[in-house]
């Protein structure tokens, strides 16, 4: 089962990296402990804490058709001081 789906790449998430926090989209059924274990295994870092939130999908209208985008679960992972994830360190041009 794939717990960490992808990284969240936004201006806010890059700002959080300065404080040692990294944002990921994760499986809806994943627990904080499972997320921390997966981050430790994938990136060889030591997470201190994991905060999660579920973002509800937006309601979209196309003519008379009304639909809803999928909801996602995001995890913000705080790392030990001095540790970094290399994939986030790329500076925007």
């Amino acid at each position: 089962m794939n717990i960490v789906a992808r990284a969240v790449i936004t201006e806010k998430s890059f700002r959080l990296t300065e404080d040692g926090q990294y944002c990921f989209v994760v499986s809806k059924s994943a627990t904080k402990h499972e997320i921390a274990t997966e981050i430790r295994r994938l990136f060889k870092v030591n997470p201190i804490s994991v905060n999660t939130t579920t973002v509800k999908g937006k309601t979209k209208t196309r003519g008379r058709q009304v639909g809803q985008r999928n909801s996602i679960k995001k995890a913000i992972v705080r790392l030990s001081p001095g540790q970094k994830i290399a994939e986030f360190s790329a500076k925007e041009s």
Side-chain angles (χ1 to χ4, degrees):
M1 182 174 156
N2 201 3
I3 294 175
V4 177
R6 60 185 163 87
V8 177
I9 307 297
T10 61
E11 290 180 18
K12 183 177 180 180
S13 68
F14 272 107
R15 247 190 343 265
L16 287 173
T17 60
E18 297 170 1
D19 298 329
Q21 296 179 0
Y22 297 88
C23 192
F24 299 94
V25 174
V26 296
S27 171
K28 291 180 190 176
S29 62
T31 64
K32 291 181 179 186
H33 180 71
E34 291 172 341
I35 294 167
T37 303
E38 187 72 7
I39 295 296
R40 189 176 295 116
R41 185 183 68 79
L42 287 174
F43 300 108
K44 309 293 188 268
V45 293
N46 186 25
I48 294 176
S49 66
V50 177
N51 295 333
T52 59
T53 183
T54 302
V55 181
K56 289 187 71 172
K58 291 182 178 179
T59 302
K60 296 301 232 176
T61 305
R62 186 174 187 179
R64 287 185 286 185
Q65 297 290 327
V66 177
Q68 188 169 8
R69 291 185 180 172
N70 292 334
S71 299
I72 62 168
K73 185 174 186 177
K74 291 195 309 185
I76 299 175
V77 179
R78 181 184 294 268
L79 300 182
S80 296
Q83 291 187 337
K84 294 182 180 180
I85 296 177
E87 286 78 9
F88 280 89
S89 64
K91 296 290 182 184
E92 294 183 25
S93 300

